Amino acid sequence: GENVEQHPSTLSVQEGDSAVIKCTYSDSASNYFPWYKQELGKGPQLIIDIRSNVGEKKDQRIAVTLNKTAKHFSLHITETQPEDSAVYFCAASVTGNQFYFGTGTSLTVIP
Amino acid sequence: DVKVTQSSRYLVKRTGEKVFLECVQDMDHENMFWYRQDPGLGLRLIYFSYDVKMKEKGDIPEGYSVSREKKERFSLILESASTNQTSMYLCASSLLQKLKLGASTDTQYFGPGTRLTVL
């Protein structure tokens, strides 16, 4: 089955700096890669996703890049703000119905 | 907006009790999922369902069962709760999407979670 690894497990950045979270996956058949943000006491919320037919996608301060050859994808947050502090999860979908999640990155943005 | 609701935010039960966790979605999604979330382990899939009365085992189904009698509702059942089932339980739903080239992918939408403590 698919195996998704996520790094780092914790990340602290100064407000205004950039944050990068990286994930690798094992199954080359994976074709959909969402990123979720989970705030304290809440369920994960989709923040951005990318499909295997594109290499990069951007939405305001958030971007995701995908390298299919190396089987890794990354989340980039620029100009970080305190409200970006949360746990971020990556995921990979092989069949389109079943998802495999990374173990999460706890991001702290220091004012 | 997609809305996924879970019947309880916090639940405390005793060992051996039968526990029902309910999940309802209002977007007519075919797929529904139950995960448990534990520190350092991320989200692990317990069961999922493609349609009414259909269910499939995920990665950790032992000790759990599910029921999907109506499209909008997916229930997780702990027949005899044990302390190692203390966890955060997350429900999700998704709509199968067909892309132009025929591929299909899903976007999952999560509920707020139920934090279950088994004493």
Side-chain angles (χ1 to χ4, degrees):
Chain A
E2 174 67 284
N3 181 44
V4 177
E5 294 189 357
Q6 182 172 347
H7 300 280
S9 57
T10 60
L11 180 61
S12 291
V13 299
Q14 290 291 136
E15 182 176 358
D17 286 351
S18 295
V20 180
I21 302 170
K22 298 182 179 182
C23 287
T24 60
Y25 62 99
S26 60
D27 193 332
S28 56
S30 289
N31 57 16
Y32 177 58
F33 307 92
W35 284 90
Y36 290 87
K37 175 183 181 183
Q38 186 176 26
E39 297 174 330
L40 200 61
K42 297 183 179 180
Q45 287 199 311
L46 180 73
I47 55 171
I48 195 167
D49 56 14
I50 192 167
R51 304 181 195 277
S52 59
N53 56 346
V54 297
E56 186 174 357
K57 184 176 178 180
K58 192 172 181 181
D59 182 4
Q60 299 182 337
R61 297 186 297 109
I62 295 173
V64 57
T65 58
L66 171 65
N67 183 326
K68 287 171 57 181
T69 303
K71 295 205 279 286
H72 68 70
F73 56 113
S74 301
L75 177 72
H76 305 253
I77 306 174
T78 58
E79 301 171 21
T80 53
Q81 301 167 3
E83 52 265 38
D84 294 329
S85 295
V87 178
Y88 292 81
F89 290 96
C90 63
S93 175
V94 178
T95 64
N97 287 320
Q98 191 163 353
F99 285 74
Y100 297 87
F101 287 83
T103 51
T105 296
S106 178
L107 173 65
T108 302
V109 179
I110 304 165
Chain B
D1 272 356
V2 176
K3 191 161 186 182
V4 181
T5 57
Q6 295 182 228
S7 52
S8 305
R9 293 300 304 275
Y10 301 94
L11 211 52
V12 180
K13 295 292 181 180
R14 296 206 174 272
T15 300
E17 281 193 78
K18 191 169 186 176
V19 182
F20 292 88
L21 302 183
E22 303 282 340
C23 175
V24 178
Q25 51 93 4
D26 65 358
M27 286 301 291
D28 203 34
H29 284 175
E30 290 89 358
N31 305 325
M32 296 188 75
F33 308 80
W34 275 106
Y35 295 89
R36 65 177 282 177
Q37 182 179 20
D38 300 289
L41 297 177
L43 278 71
R44 293 180 292 167
L45 182 64
I46 305 171
Y47 267 97
F48 59 105
S49 169
Y50 292 122
D51 203 349
V52 175
K53 296 193 185 296
M54 296 191 70
K55 60 185 179 184
E56 297 282 344
K57 291 180 180 179
D59 299 318
I60 52 165
E62 296 79 17
Y64 303 94
S65 62
V66 290
S67 173
R68 190 148 181 221
E69 295 296 318
K70 294 184 178 181
K71 190 175 185 179
E72 68 271 18
R73 188 179 298 269
F74 193 34
S75 302
L76 180 69
I77 304 154
L78 288 66
E79 293 290 341
S80 178
S82 63
T83 55
N84 63 11
Q85 292 179 310
T86 292
S87 187
M88 169 71 89
Y89 289 87
L90 292 164
C91 175
S93 72
S94 70
L95 178 67
L96 189 64
Q97 298 180 14
K98 292 289 185 181
L99 302 180
K100 288 181 182 178
L101 297 178
S104 59
T105 58
D106 295 288
T107 297
Q108 289 196 346
Y109 298 90
F110 284 86
T114 295
R115 185 164 292 283
L116 172 67
T117 301
V118 183
L119 301 175

